[in-house]
């Protein structure tokens, strides 16, 4: 199964679209109004900045006309006469797909001819002579297991619960029912649930996109026996699901009832209860499926007691400075690419204890129980007080109203003009605004030094700075992958019009300020109204999206 995906990637590595003229745009567009497929692609492209489209499954995409993406193409497919409508469905069904380009025609909302080029990582938008490109702006759709339920529990139509891993495959655990075919991942899961000896299923998808009326099934379902084993690894072309709880079936034999249990699963818990630090770690571990912990910055982690997770993604450790596991969550929030941590030590209170935090740069594929570890975690949702990871691929508003495009786990190779010590990435972005000539900033964070390889994380209120902010004063080149760095590129100056051309309005700013004042009292957060440079009046009234707004509860809205 995997060897065929490698062949496919190699075949597509040199793929290009004939006759294209590539001009890199300064940022990935964000939706400015609703968009619908039409013969001439409109309400997208660089002016205005994009169009929002809700597809067949309810997933939301940003569509940009006359543009493509420079992310690596890992699959392509024909549309079977459906136009770009087929690409949206295809991206929803394909493991790890987050964006695509469509080169072809559109003759109606669900008709046209052409080819879809799928990407796991969108990259940047570039001007190319094709119909359009699109990237996901929602975390998939709850109608399908991936990516919406990644690392969490999906409940199928029969009320059976499955732990979902997107872009992951388990090593063979013995074939169950022979390989089957499904319309999508949900169909494969349902078929595994109906097979008495199936405990988990791997899902792949390939081929041209079929019409809604077609009975052809492009998904392949690889069924596996018994309990999930904590082995396997990441792969761009496979999704995986395993039974969370045993499936019990009863049958009468010779007057007696025989009960059988298959598919027991307990390796990777997901949150079922609220969790708080305590001397005895509870609401996680083998006795329960996990606990959700909201940290000091409102990031949410899944905590698993008495367990550790994949050690291969470990990148740094730090002592807790007397704060216990409370320190680990804060430390992960400010470290680029941190997706979770393990804590070895003691907890004496909600914010006290001693020990060491081990930070990891990839979400855990599996947990295993380890009595020497207090708990291990994986990130569920990042903090809205920092640009990364919550605003990755989106816009973040600096304290003075300037707008930055955010690239998490990426950096620009443009030479830095200067640098400064900072406590976090938000401070780095704000310092760029007060640094002469700064057009973008690169951010790293580490407590480790030559003298103290295992550093010490900071306490609340301490002014210690372990982050470094590198300022760029020339037009930064397109950012590329840089795992332990984040990058922010200014796309609108403070007090100036954003790229879509919206204008300022004192009345709309006042209204936003009044709304945030009452909201702050309820949530005690720090509102960040991107509307301070925009307008909801005059020419923009009814025009659609004119800005982003972060409320006092830390939620991001497109207005």
């Amino acid at each position: 199964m995997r060897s065929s995906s490698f062949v496919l990637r190699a075949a597509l590595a040199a793929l290009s679209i004939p006759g294209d003229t590539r001009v890199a745009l300064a940022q990935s567009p964000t939706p400015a109004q609703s968009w619908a497929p039409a013969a001439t692609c409109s309400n997208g492209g660089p002016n205005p900045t994009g169009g929002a489209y809700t597809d067949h499954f309810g997933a939301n995409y940003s569509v940009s006309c006359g543009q493509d993406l420079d992310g690596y193409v890992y699959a392509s497919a024909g549309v079977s006469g459906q136009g770009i409508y087929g690409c949206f469905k295809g991206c929803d069904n394909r493991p790890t797909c987050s964006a695509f380009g469509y080169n072809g025609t559109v003759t109606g909302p669900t008709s046209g001819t052409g080819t879809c080029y799928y990407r796991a990582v969108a990259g940047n938008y570039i001007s190319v002579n094709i119909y359009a490109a699109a990237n996901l702006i929602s975390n998939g759709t709850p109608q399908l297991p991936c990516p919406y339920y990644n690392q969490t529990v999906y409940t199928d139509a029969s009320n059976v619960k499955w732990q979902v891993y997107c872009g992951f495959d388990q090593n063979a655990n013995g074939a169950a029912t022979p390989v089957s075919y499904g319309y999508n991942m949900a169909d494969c899961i349902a078929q595994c649930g109906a097979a008495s000896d199936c405990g988990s299923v791997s899902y792949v998808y390939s081929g041209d996109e079929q019409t809604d009326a077609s009975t052809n099934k492009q998904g392949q379902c690889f069924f596996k026996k018994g309990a999930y084993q904590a082995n396997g690894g990441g792969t761009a072309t496979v999704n995986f699901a395993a039974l969370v709880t045993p499936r019990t079936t009863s049958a009468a034999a010779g007057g007696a009832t025989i009960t059988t249990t298959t598919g027991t699963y307990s390796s990777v818990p997901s949150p079922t209860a609220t969790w708080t630090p305590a001397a005895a770690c509870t609401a996680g571990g083998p006795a329960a499926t996990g606990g959700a912990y909201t940290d000091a910055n409102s990031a949410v982690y899944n905590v698993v007691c008495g367990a550790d997770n994949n050690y291969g993604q470990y990148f740094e450790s730090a002592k807790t400075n007397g704060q216990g596991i409370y320190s680990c969550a804060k430390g992960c929030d400010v470290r680029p690419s941190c997706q979770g941590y393990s804590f070895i030590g003691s907890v004496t209170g909600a914010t006290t204890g001693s020990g060491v935090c081990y930070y990891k740069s990839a979400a855990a594929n599996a947990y295993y129980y380890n009595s020497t570890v207090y708990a291990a975690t994986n990130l569920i949702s990042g903090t809205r007080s920092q640009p990364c990871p919550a605003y990755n691929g989106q816009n973040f508003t600096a304290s003075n109203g300037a707008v930055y495009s955010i690239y998490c786990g990426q950096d620009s190779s443009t030479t830095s003009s200067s640098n400064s010590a900072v406590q976090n990435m938000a401070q780095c972005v704000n310092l760029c605004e007060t640094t002469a000539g700064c057009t973008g900033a690169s951010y790293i964070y580490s407590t480790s030094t030559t003298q103290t390889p295992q550093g010490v994380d900071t306490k609340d209120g301490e002014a210690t700075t372990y982050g470094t902010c590198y300022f760029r004063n020339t037009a930064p080149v397109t950012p590329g992958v840089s795992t332990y760095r984040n990058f922010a590129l200014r796309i609108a100056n403070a007090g100036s019009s954003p790229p879509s051309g919206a204008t300022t309005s004192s009345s709309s700013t006042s209204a936003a300020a009044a709304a945030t004042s009452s909201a702050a009292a309820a949530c005690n957060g720090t509102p960040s109204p991107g509307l301070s440079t925009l307008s909801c009046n005059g020419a923009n009234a009814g025009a659609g999206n004119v800005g982003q707004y972060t409320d006092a509860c830390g939620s991001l809205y497109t207005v």
Side-chain angles (χ1 to χ4, degrees):
M1 177 168 59
R2 293 188 183 178
S3 61
S4 63
S5 69
F6 293 147
V7 171
L8 174 62
R9 291 186 209 178
L12 290 168
L15 184 147
S16 62
I17 298 170
D20 61 357
T21 302
R22 296 171 177 255
V23 179
L25 301 180
Q27 64 167 123
S28 297
T30 52
Q33 58 274 305
S34 296
W35 180 87
T40 301
C41 188
S42 59
N43 289 342
N47 187 22
T49 55
Y53 175 72
T54 302
D55 75 3
H56 172 82
F57 288 109
N60 295 316
Y61 286 83
S62 173
V63 179
S64 298
C65 298
Q67 295 177 34
D68 199 6
L69 294 153
D70 62 7
Y72 174 72
V73 174
Y74 76 99
S76 66
V79 295
S80 301
Q82 301 173 96
I84 195 171
Y85 174 79
C87 300
F88 291 110
K89 291 194 302 176
C91 192
D92 291 342
N93 282 323
R94 291 176 191 273
T96 70
C97 182
S98 66
F100 64 85
Y102 174 62
N103 188 24
T105 64
V106 170
T107 55
T110 61
S111 60
T113 59
T115 304
C116 313
Y117 298 92
Y118 299 108
R119 295 167 167 88
V121 177
N124 297 290
Y125 277 87
I126 51 178
S127 293
V128 178
N129 187 26
I130 67 172
Y131 181 84
N135 64 278
L136 268 170
I137 54 175
S138 63
N139 184 31
T141 166
Q143 293 188 41
L144 296 172
C146 282
Y148 192 88
Y149 294 94
N150 188 28
Q151 301 286 335
T152 62
V153 173
Y154 166 78
T155 304
D156 68 18
S158 299
N159 204 35
V160 176
K161 298 183 184 300
W162 304 79
Q163 182 76 24
V164 173
Y165 300 94
C166 307
F168 170 82
D169 192 19
Q170 178 200 6
N171 293 340
N173 191 32
T177 308
V179 175
S180 182
Y181 294 86
Y183 290 109
N184 49 49
M185 186 178 179
D187 190 11
C188 285
I189 285 176
Q191 292 182 48
C192 181
S196 61
D197 59 347
C198 185
S200 59
V201 58
S202 298
Y203 165 78
V204 299
Y205 185 95
S206 62
D208 290 343
E209 310 307 343
Q210 300 300 302
T211 64
D212 294 343
S214 175
T215 57
N216 294 330
K217 298 181 177 182
Q218 294 169 258
Q220 283 185 286
C221 319
F222 295 84
F223 300 132
K224 298 169 184 180
K225 290 181 180 179
Y228 166 66
Q229 303 297 315
N231 56 38
T235 173
T237 56
V238 186
N239 292 336
F240 179 77
L243 278 167
V244 172
T245 53
R247 176 175 57 248
T248 301
T249 57
S250 298
T257 299
I258 300 174
T259 300
T260 58
T261 300
T262 60
T264 303
Y265 172 82
S266 62
S267 293
V268 184
S270 59
T272 58
T274 300
W275 183 89
T276 54
C281 188
T282 57
T289 55
Y293 172 59
T294 302
D295 73 6
N297 299 313
S298 297
V300 182
Y301 290 88
N302 175 30
V303 178
V304 185
C305 297
D308 201 359
N309 53 32
N310 303 53
Y311 193 76
Q313 291 82 28
Y314 159 76
F315 67 94
E316 185 177 31
S317 64
K319 297 177 182 177
T320 66
N321 206 357
Q323 301 171 95
I325 196 170
Y326 171 79
S327 177
C328 302
K330 293 191 303 171
C332 193
D333 290 345
V334 296
R335 283 173 165 84
S337 301
C338 186
Q339 293 293 312
Y341 53 87
S342 300
F343 171 64
I344 298 178
S346 64
V347 171
T348 55
T351 62
T352 57
S354 61
V356 177
C357 308
Y358 296 87
Y359 298 106
K360 302 177 182 182
S361 61
N365 288 325
Y367 282 85
Y368 55 91
Y369 298 108
N370 186 336
S371 61
T372 65
V373 180
Y374 175 88
T377 74
N378 58 273
L379 184 66
I380 299 174
S381 62
T383 172
R384 288 287 181 180
S385 66
Q386 296 297 324
C388 285
Y391 296 89
N392 188 30
Q394 303 178 49
N395 295 341
F396 179 81
T397 304
S399 59
N400 67 347
V403 181
Y404 284 75
S405 188
I406 301 301
Y407 302 85
C408 305
Q410 298 184 62
D411 195 13
S412 170
S413 61
T414 307
T415 303
S416 302
S417 59
S418 59
N419 63 77
S420 177
V422 293
Q423 292 178 312
N424 52 55
M425 187 179 177
Q427 189 178 92
C428 176
V429 170
N430 290 329
L431 273 177
C432 184
E433 286 302 296
T434 60
T435 302
C438 182
T439 58
S442 172
Y443 167 76
I444 63 174
Y445 188 98
S446 176
T447 58
S448 301
T449 66
T450 303
Q451 292 74 28
T452 56
Q454 189 175 84
V456 180
D457 280 330
T458 60
K459 287 185 175 180
D460 294 343
E462 285 186 350
T464 309
T465 53
Y466 288 117
T468 305
C469 188
Y470 295 90
F471 304 115
R472 312 292 166 79
N473 60 5
T474 57
V477 299
T478 302
V481 175
S482 183
T483 305
Y484 303 115
R485 289 175 180 255
N486 296 332
F487 183 72
L489 173 67
R490 186 194 294 122
I491 58 173
N493 295 325
S496 69
S497 299
S500 59
T503 57
T504 59
S505 168
S506 59
S507 60
S508 64
T509 303
S510 298
T516 59
S517 177
S518 60
C523 286
N524 300 316
T526 304
S528 175
L531 295 176
S532 60
T533 61
L534 304 170
S535 171
C536 289
N537 295 331
N540 287 315
N545 171 23
V546 293
Q548 292 180 322
Y549 174 75
T550 304
D551 71 11
C553 300
S555 296
L556 176 69
Y557 294 86
T558 294
V559 180

